[in-house]
Amino acid sequence: MTESYVYAAARTPFGRYAGALAEVRPDDLAARAISGVLAKTPELDPAEIGDVVWGNANGAGEDNRNLGRMAALLAGLPTSVPATTVNRLCGSSLDAAIIASRAIESGDVGIVLCGGAESMSRAPWVLPKPARGFPAGDVTAVSTTLGWRLVNERMPKEWTVSLGEANEQLGDRFGIPRERQDAFAVRSHTLADQAWNAGFYDDLVVPVETGTAGTVHRDEGIRPGSTVEKLAGLKPAFRPDGVITAGNASPLNDGASAVLLGSADAATRIGTVPLARIAGRAATALDPQMFGFAPVEAADQALRKAGVSWGEVAAVELNEAFAVQSLACMDAWGVDPDIVNTKGGAIAIGHPLGASGGRILGTLAHRLRESGDRWGVAALCIGVGQGLAVVLENVTGGRG
């Protein structure tokens, strides 16, 4: 078997719910990310791309008809390039990268474009069809923006609690106080702002033109003036006496990310050297309400498959769905907090569900290139009790 490599990554800015990107369709966001990543490899003939694997968590609105294929066509890829769309909820675009890497390693294709997109602003309300025509009673329109909807009554009630309540339970289980969660959230905003100001994201983020908001260049949700004192004044969002607030959880967002993967032999066709090798990967699952803790075993398994210990890991990109679950995972790994999300995380940058996995994978590859360190881990939690992780090995040189 051959090996798979990250050659390039790009993403759009992440917009706030009902914010600057709300008027942009998810397929247009996806097409912009694809165009952005291909612009980094101008020598690559797009017809050489063997497949497009795209992530999307909703699929209920404008993203309903194989978003990957729609985005590839809108981005101008030849009609001969096939595409598929995968849904592992919050892990969809990291799953897309995992699927793409396996296709490359098996020898099926040499180059795969992967990524994901989500417009949570444009997620529609849906009406279930009645079993028979002309129902006499009222019908409720259900929002598809986030979380459980149209739940099967056979599901145990403890599995179908809200995402916020599930993480309140996680906080109870591990004794993680609100003060620690708020401090983690402030850190996310501070580091994201510092990374933008230092130019780290200049090479990763491609602007998006909108009709009324102009051109969006930067993530919309970053608040560099956040303080623990300000966050302490926010009311709990899920329990009257709870610890999770709008300030220490990821927001609702719009955005897209793209990553170009290829084999070692594909370098001549792509026209550039790779950034990182995909050295390990894993998908794991546990009880649905414990989803926030699922990255723990996923990352542990991915590292074992890569033959790497936590002591060798120099960079971690952990999607910050909630501060409490991020802290629980970091505590379980025993990892140095200073190597986690050093360019900010989802609490500040945002979490457009289907796009987040591609964001953290691209960010990790660029962090390793910047630092020269060898090993990094990208991981995220997934609603309904799953976790995904990928181990990257820096191949650009630097510290071993």
Side-chain angles (χ1 to χ4, degrees), residues 27 67-68 139 171 184 188 225 244 253 262 297 309 315 343 362:
D27 46 4
L67 177 61
V139 179
F184 183 82
S188 184
I244 298 176
N253 297 95
E297 181 60 22
S309 71
K343 308 301 181 181

Side-chain angles (χ1 to χ4, degrees), residues 45 90 112 166 225 232 312 331 371 377:
D45 179 357
C90 302
V112 182
E312 298 172 89
D331 290 349
S371 69
V377 175

